[in-house]
Amino acid sequence: MAREFTSVGVVGLGTMGAGIVEVFARNGIDVVAVEISAAAVERGRATLTGSTDRAVAKGKLAEADRDALLSRVDFQVGLDALHSVDLVVEAVPEHLDLKQRIFAELDRVCKPEAILATNTSSLSVTEISVATTRPNQVIGIHFFNPAPVMKLVEVVRTVVTSADVVADVEALCERLGKVDVTINDRAGFIANALLFGYLNHAVSMFEARYATREDIDAAMKLGCGLPMGPLALMDLIGLDTAYEILDTMYRRGGRDRRHAPVPLIKQMVTAGLLGRKSGRGFYTYERPGSPKVVPDEHTPVATGAALADGARAIAKVGVVGSGTMATGIIEVFAKAGYEVISVTRGAEKSAKVCETVKTSLNKGVVRGKLSEADRDAALGRVTWSATLEHLADVDLVVEAVVEELSVKKALFASLDEICKPGVVLATTTSSLPVIDVAMATQRPADVVGLHFFNPAPIMPLVEIVQTIRTSTETTATARAVCAALGKTGVVCGDRSGFIVNALLFPYLNDAVKMLEASYSTADDIDHAMKLGCGYPMGPFELLDVVGLDVSLAIQRELYLELREPGFAPAPLLEHLVTAGYLGRKSGRGFRDHTNR
């Protein structure tokens, strides 16, 4: 039988500590809430009261339940107040020496059978535990912020943590309505080990001026369905906190360069630009602690003014290709009012593309998202062709053929001969260098990448990829076209993976390495990222959807270009692809899909 916890202590009443107090008190457990001074206690009390009052105002907590919750909390100054609790959760700042001092004192104060837990997100639970004479009763209980809302708890056992202690804490998490994943003591645990490499990479993109903060954040929200962009998330976490976590993970985790804090982070911390809590980080906020972003000197000019800056008029668009992406792009342009010429290899393929577009538009009518008149008008704007010569007078060509450089270069060389001067030539490549395609023409200034996401009619993001030869007019035209399509266009340089794939796939690769090392299961890793970080899909769910072969090809391209050791494809990923386990499309990937 699991131990019954009737009273717990929480040390440290900052945002996280106060949230943990609320979680326990909401679930009928008496809490001794401890801080270092009376002033700190009052700040913690105010944080808890503010949180519960907001819950009442939103109808998520009855006034009587709030009053009962608050009555269960005993606020105290000093650790001596914890002498009779069954469990203590420490939630002080991420400094090892501070935590060790507190645990040594807790060891002296608390009753012999009490469990001592740390909420650390990156430090070694083992190193904290050895400050006590009871390391077998020390465990990590890592709540996620905001603790009352986030469902995930990482339960971190050391090599000497008692199995009974682990079982008792797992049962407690269930009582609290949390989903726990139990793991060993390793730098970053699951969620932070996967999250912070990605965040650090995003900061390096911004530091290198590869893309604006707005475009990086929009790309990951719209391209991956993430609740926040990486730079906005860094501001929420706090740049000082993020720096400490990255630095700890770098030192504890084998000195992986992906966790070495980008210099810009330290510079911003030194300058006091800590994020929301200081009122300024990557973005500027209305006031310290406010979530409201206000314009600053880096805020882009109004969209209309930006689009008018040299954009060419586009009325007629050519789309080359017959695959899923090509048909989706044809539909998008036709619905937006453009005259479209669809070019495929042969009349049979043209007929098939035509049928696919009709079927998709009909689905829109059935679902009430499109009127019959609009469907007919969209179809009336499309001309079906099997010859490139019909593109002689279009204003924009969008290429959506197979991802083979030789094929794309040959096509662009032909378009260079056929198309009129001033036409914008766009490739939808997701992984190949746009400059290689551009230099197959005599007009590289007119060539740009327009990376639509699949399915194109639904996904709101387009990556606008400018090479070192792309003219400002061509980029402005691409921006204007995206806006006219109702899409969000984000501008980036011509580098492998662009924004989304360059940030997404190393994270997925890290997850595979974590599984390969037997650190955790695919299910627990997926749970950690969905429940701890709010991701719409876990990394293994997503890999099986994307296709392991596609993921491996993208990861290889990233590694080939950047030569970053941390980007080398995980051997497990390569082995699964070699074995024909490609994900859902083959019936098996990281999971078996044959009976689903």
Side-chain angles (χ1 to χ4, degrees):
M1 287 288 292
R3 184 192 313 201
E4 182 70 23
F5 294 97
T6 57
S7 65
V8 302
V10 176
V11 181
L13 303 179
T15 304
M16 181 56 76
I20 295 169
V21 169
E22 182 177 338
V23 169
F24 284 123
R26 268 179 184 258
N27 287 278
I29 299 173
D30 291 335
V31 186
V32 180
V34 171
E35 257 294 358
I36 196 169
S37 66
V41 164
E42 288 311 307
R43 285 195 295 272
R45 190 196 303 270
T47 301
L48 177 62
T49 304
S51 175
T52 53
D53 285 350
R54 284 192 297 274
V56 170
K58 291 175 181 175
K60 295 183 177 180
L61 189 68
E63 287 190 26
D65 290 338
R66 175 200 58 195
D67 296 342
L69 183 163
L70 293 174
S71 73
R72 294 188 192 102
V73 184
D74 177 18
F75 289 95
Q76 294 287 340
V77 176
L79 298 178
D80 286 339
L82 301 171
H83 59 87
S84 63
V85 299
D86 303 315
L87 164 75
V88 178
V89 179
E90 163 274 310
V92 304
E94 288 284 273
H95 300 296
L96 181 60
D97 57 344
L98 172 62
K99 291 181 188 281
Q100 287 177 326
R101 287 200 304 274
I102 286 172
F103 270 73
E105 188 66 11
L106 290 173
D107 188 36
R108 181 188 66 79
V109 167
C110 294
K111 60 189 181 184
E113 64 272 24
I115 293 173
L116 308 181
T118 174
N119 184 60
T120 183
S121 59
S122 60
L123 296 172
S124 167
V125 179
T126 307
E127 289 185 46
I128 294 169
S129 74
V130 296
T132 74
T133 60
R134 55 177 107 176
N136 60 316
Q137 289 168 236
V138 176
I139 194 166
I141 305 180
H142 179 216
F143 290 85
F144 285 74
N145 195 21
V149 175
M150 300 300 279
K151 298 288 286 183
L152 183 73
V153 175
E154 290 177 321
V155 176
V156 187
R157 63 188 168 214
T158 73
V159 289
V160 296
T161 305
S162 161
D164 288 344
V165 168
V166 174
D168 291 343
V169 169
E170 289 173 337
L172 175 63
C173 289
E174 187 175 350
R175 177 182 171 186
L176 298 175
K178 301 294 185 184
V179 176
D180 71 272
V181 294
T182 300
I183 46 180
N184 295 326
D185 184 20
R186 191 180 104 167
F189 315 136
I190 295 175
N192 281 354
L194 296 179
L195 176 67
F196 276 86
Y198 150 72
L199 295 178
N200 203 37
H201 190 184
V203 176
S204 73
M205 271 189 182
F206 177 71
E207 182 184 53
R209 300 184 180 180
Y210 177 67
T212 65
R213 61 189 181 183
E214 288 84 2
D215 281 358
I216 291 170
D217 280 354
M220 298 313 291
K221 285 171 65 181
L222 301 178
C224 298
L226 302 186
M228 295 183 79
L231 302 179
L233 181 54
M234 287 283 283
D235 277 358
L236 176 63
I237 292 167
L239 271 70
D240 50 344
T241 302
Y243 179 84
E244 292 293 340
I245 291 171
L246 282 165
D247 188 52
T248 301
M249 286 172 55
Y250 175 71
R251 287 185 284 104
R252 284 189 62 210
R255 300 191 176 269
D256 183 341
R257 285 212 306 262
R258 295 196 56 228
H259 292 139
V262 171
L264 178 62
I265 301 174
K266 183 64 179 290
Q267 292 163 17
M268 292 176 73
V269 170
T270 305
L273 307 177
L274 307 182
R276 283 191 191 181
K277 60 187 172 188
S278 69
R280 184 152 186 185
F282 289 103
Y283 295 91
T284 300
Y285 298 87
E286 193 171 42
R287 62 183 180 278
S290 169
K292 185 178 178 181
V293 175
V294 296
D296 59 21
E297 65 271 24
H298 302 298
T299 302
V301 294
T303 305
L307 298 182
D309 185 22
R312 301 171 195 168
I314 304 292
K316 187 182 288 189
V317 178
V319 179
V320 184
S322 56
T324 304
M325 189 54 75
T327 55
I329 291 169
I330 291 165
E331 180 181 337
V332 166
F333 275 102
K335 284 197 296 191
Y338 289 93
E339 188 178 339
V340 182
I341 298 177
S342 164
V343 179
T344 62
R345 290 185 301 171
E348 190 177 327
K349 283 189 181 292
S350 272
K352 188 177 177 183
V353 171
C354 177
E355 198 56 41
T356 302
V357 173
K358 282 181 181 176
T359 300
S360 180
L361 290 170
N362 284 333
K363 284 181 182 174
V365 173
V366 170
R367 292 170 182 163
K369 295 183 176 180
L370 195 68
S371 70
E372 290 188 13
D374 287 341
R375 172 200 62 193
D376 296 342
L379 283 170
R381 295 186 192 105
V382 185
T383 302
W384 311 99
S385 171
T387 174
L388 290 174
E389 278 70 21
H390 287 151
L391 301 176
D393 65 340
V394 299
D395 305 308
L396 164 68
V397 179
V398 180
E399 164 274 309
V401 301
V402 66
E403 279 284 275
E404 288 182 21
L405 187 57
S406 59
V407 175
K408 291 182 187 286
K409 288 174 73 171
L411 173 60
F412 271 71
S414 298
L415 293 172
D416 190 30
E417 293 179 6
I418 292 165
C419 294
K420 67 186 182 184
V423 66
V424 173
L425 303 178
T427 172
T428 60
T429 183
S430 60
S431 59
L432 299 172
V434 177
I435 190 64
D436 283 1
V437 178
M439 295 310 290
T441 75
Q442 299 300 309
R443 50 174 106 182
D446 296 330
V447 178
V448 70
L450 281 181
H451 179 217
F452 289 80
F453 286 72
N454 196 22
I458 295 171
M459 294 296 281
L461 182 72
V462 179
E463 288 177 318
I464 300 168
V465 186
Q466 53 186 6
T467 76
I468 55 175
R469 296 289 296 270
T470 304
S471 70
T472 54
E473 294 81 10
T474 299
T475 302
T477 305
R479 280 181 178 273
V481 167
C482 289
L485 295 175
K487 304 289 188 186
T488 297
V490 296
V491 179
C492 59
D494 182 22
R495 206 171 76 182
S496 185
F498 312 138
I499 298 173
V500 173
N501 284 354
L503 292 177
L504 174 65
F505 281 89
Y507 146 75
L508 296 176
N509 196 50
D510 286 346
V512 179
K513 290 178 180 177
M514 187 177 278
L515 179 67
E516 188 174 50
S518 300
Y519 179 63
S520 190
T521 66
D523 287 346
D524 278 356
I525 293 170
D526 278 355
H527 279 316
M529 298 315 293
K530 289 195 292 185
L531 301 177
C533 300
Y535 282 25
M537 298 178 82
F540 298 105
E541 287 179 273
L542 184 54
L543 281 160
D544 276 1
V545 168
V546 170
L548 274 61
D549 51 342
V550 174
S551 303
L552 178 60
I554 293 171
Q555 194 61 38
R556 281 175 173 163
E557 287 286 341
L558 289 170
Y559 180 54
L560 191 64
E561 180 168 312
L562 301 175
R563 305 299 171 102
E564 172 59 59
F567 286 178
L572 176 59
L573 183 60
E574 295 188 323
H575 295 167
L576 288 168
V577 171
T578 302
Y581 294 167
L582 308 182
R584 287 190 182 179
K585 61 187 173 188
S586 69
R588 182 164 177 182
F590 286 98
R591 294 185 175 90
D592 188 343
H593 301 277
T594 52
N595 296 317
R596 297 188 183 188

